[in-house]
Amino acid sequence: MLSGWKRIQTPIQLPCSQLCVIHLLLKRSEHVILTKTVKRVMSILLAVAILPIAAPTGQAASQDDTVTILFTHDLHDNFLPFQLEGAGETRTAGGYARLATVIRQQREQYPDALLVDAGDFAMGTLFQTIYTSDAPGLRMLGYLGYDVTTLGNHEFDFRAAGLSESLRAALKSGDPLPQIVASNMEFPDAEDGQMPADLQDLQETVQTYGLEDHVVIERNGIRIGFFGLMGNEAAGNAPMSGVSFGDPVDRAKAAVSVLKNEKADLIVALSHSGTHVDPALSEDELLAEKVPGIDVIISGHSHTVLSEPIITGKTILGSAGQYGENLGVLTLKRQNDGWKLADYELVPVDDSVPEDPAVSELIRTYKQVIQDEYLRPFGMQFDEVLAASPFDFTPFSQLGREQKEEPIGNLIGDSFIHMVEELEGTDYEPVAAAVVPVGTIRNTFREGDITVSDVFNANSLGIGPDGISGYPLLSIYLTGKELKTVAEVDASITPIMNTVQLYISGLSYMFNPNRLLFNKVTDIRLQDRDGVTEEIDDDKLYRVVGGLYSVQMLPFVNEKSFGLLSVVPKTKDGEPIEDFEDHILYMNGQLEVKEWYAIAEYLKSFDQQEGVPQIPGYYSEEQGRKVVEQDSSLSAVLSQPNGIILSAYAVLAAVLAVIVTLVVFIVRRKRRKRLL
């Protein structure tokens, strides 16, 4: 794609005091005859006034050699303030009305500053529900004056068609919009001369929007080049995007080369790749090492807060955290050997910052659109209080870090089962288990009122075949043996890939992390909400509910376990499911039952206190649904081997037998040689 161009020209302004003096003298000259002395005075004053234009001072020259970049990333449609946990306390942070104020304050200090974002500006709150119709996230970036952004993996949550519709909605609005750069996004080659319709539409839409591989913006005589990247892990989190993403390092090298040819003085990567405590997994740090031509990396995706930038070689890497909790401010100064860090700051966006009235009004407008277009069919109100919690659930920042039972996982799983009971009434067919992956939980609940908005934020991912935001619930069947396998997947795979940790309502199982892989579960039973347990029949079909994403992932157990484990979702008749969408649950025969809606309805079902349902104390503690037994004794590790382990033992025994046979053969052969 051709690079886009923007130039900002700042009009030269004379100091008011100088202009006033000149003005007064000129006015007098209309009424008096100027003497030579007066004329000389005027000449001197005019020369002094014009001097800053004709010959810049040392201070102005210094400003010409500096660039300030204001930045965010991972905003995730957090239009409204949220509660931020940290340092043993919870504080209010973010909100676009306050972010607008902080941006304005910084621009007063740095008039020529550039404002950029490193992706995932959408998805995460109720505002995502109008992503395709109104594009609120992208339009808000434009309203706030962002110059450039890139696409994160969550911009593809509604697939290629959703992104295309969102971009068109943004263009149709006529609002100012930021430049989008995406340097490693690739469209597939057309098969038989025909690309899939949704991808062809997206390709045409990004061209209409003006999405570019790179862009050069000129400020104060300095040419700043930007390009955008989708990291490898982020790309893996957008499996339904339809597009592919080229190697970030290769594409970064190519972008740097092109930008240097276009005489860019400063090169900035808006990278949705992220950093990690493990250097081998810290994609943006690796990018800085492998592509030294990048001067600045604004690092998104990992939601990292860097109070001090990471400096690798001559590359400066900054991250400002998530949801607009901070505005990053990075100032660079040009020196003979390149750009040097002059200043770096994360400016907090909290309740000490006044809200911008115009942005607040715009947010209220979007809330009304959400109410009319999304919530009304569900019979819900944006700020409606569904229940109150007398306690805090596990903070979101800690959720899933440990391999253990989580009360919020229990609550969500129980809500799925409750939803099916409510839907089917007297025709209810018992649900044995409900599966909730930790990765689908996007927020937690705290002590106090819980609103519709809070519930949606806790389970906001995805979209159904109805094109409406939120994953729908499905009903499938698994054998008892497969139920045990699901528990084994949780026990064995979670330490390797923590995002797959499962919370399973309806089961009680014990596992020992010290046991061999795929043989960690030592006991498993069915368990109802009252704690009553029941043996599992390996051959019996059991009904299971879960979200569309969760259920679709179950067949991948076979692949992830190298064929050692198998889970095949089935129909009530025991036939393998071919189309998961045929098993979506509906209410009123037409509206998909969304995961968040099931949680909302469950909260409303609790006993009331002063007219408000109260979350029972039952959910303030664990219920023995997932018990971790730490025992490293030899008997605990090797006892109760399952079929997989017995097979492994057999293979190991065979290998040992071969080794022993070879050793015996070699020893005998050496003895014979000695005798000879």
Side-chain angles (χ1 to χ4, degrees), residues 116-391:
V116 302
D117 181 82
D120 271 5
F121 51 81
M123 303 298 156
T125 71
L126 270 169
F127 291 87
Q128 77 182 48
T129 63
I130 54 173
Y131 176 71
T132 57
S133 61
D134 292 78
L138 190 56
R139 290 168 64 188
M140 181 59 77
L141 292 186
Y143 189 87
L144 295 177
Y146 277 77
D147 296 288
V148 194
T149 187
T150 192
L151 299 175
N153 52 286
H154 283 287
E155 271 70 73
F156 293 90
D157 276 6
F158 293 175
R159 307 187 182 187
L163 175 56
S164 183
E165 289 178 43
S166 184
L167 293 176
R168 283 201 301 270
L171 289 170
K172 184 179 179 181
S173 72
D175 292 348
L177 301 171
Q179 174 68 56
I180 300 177
V181 287
S183 305
N184 65 330
M185 183 173 72
E186 300 175 342
F187 287 90
D189 294 331
E191 297 181 7
D192 301 325
Q194 187 67 38
M195 186 184 295
D198 59 337
L199 294 180
Q200 184 175 351
D201 181 51
L202 177 60
Q203 188 175 50
E204 293 172 357
T205 303
V206 298
Q207 291 172 350
T208 303
Y209 184 95
L211 182 146
E212 304 287 356
D213 293 330
H214 60 280
V215 64
V216 176
I217 299 178
E218 189 170 325
R219 289 284 167 89
N220 220 13
I222 300 173
R223 294 168 59 78
I224 304 102
F226 293 91
F227 66 97
L229 294 174
M230 180 81 76
N232 291 319
E233 182 187 87
N237 291 338
M240 306 305 293
S241 65
V243 298
S244 59
F245 300 93
D247 181 74
V249 171
D250 291 343
R251 292 307 177 88
K253 289 178 178 178
V256 167
S257 177
V258 171
L259 287 168
K260 285 184 175 179
N261 288 337
E262 296 188 5
K263 308 301 181 184
D265 299 304
L266 176 70
I267 297 177
V268 180
L270 302 180
S271 179
H272 200 75
S273 304
T275 55
H276 197 281
V277 291
D278 182 350
L281 301 176
S282 193
E283 291 190 45
D284 277 329
E285 289 186 79
L286 295 173
L287 178 68
E289 292 175 7
K290 295 176 181 179
V291 192
I294 303 173
D295 296 302
V296 175
I297 297 175
I298 304 302
S299 178
H301 181 60
S302 56
H303 297 207
T304 307
V305 177
L306 291 178
S307 57
E308 296 293 335
I310 296 172
I311 300 178
T312 302
K314 294 184 178 181
T315 304
I316 300 166
L317 189 155
S319 285
Q322 63 185 359
Y323 308 159
E325 62 180 294
N326 300 301
L327 177 69
V329 183
L330 173 64
T331 299
L332 301 144
K333 183 174 178 60
R334 181 157 50 186
Q335 297 184 353
N336 293 333
D337 58 344
W339 294 90
K340 300 295 183 183
L341 181 67
D343 191 28
Y344 178 91
E345 182 184 8
L346 300 184
V347 181
V349 180
D350 55 29
D351 51 11
S352 68
V353 178
E355 294 187 351
D356 181 285
V359 174
S360 295
E361 181 58 34
L362 182 57
I363 291 172
R364 282 192 288 271
T365 300
Y366 281 132
K367 284 179 66 174
Q368 188 58 52
V369 175
I370 293 165
Q371 183 61 48
D372 294 340
E373 295 187 5
Y374 184 78
L375 289 175
R376 195 179 304 282
F378 292 101
M380 299 279 184
Q381 299 287 325
F382 195 106
D383 296 314
E384 176 186 351
V385 175
L386 298 168
S389 177
F391 52 86

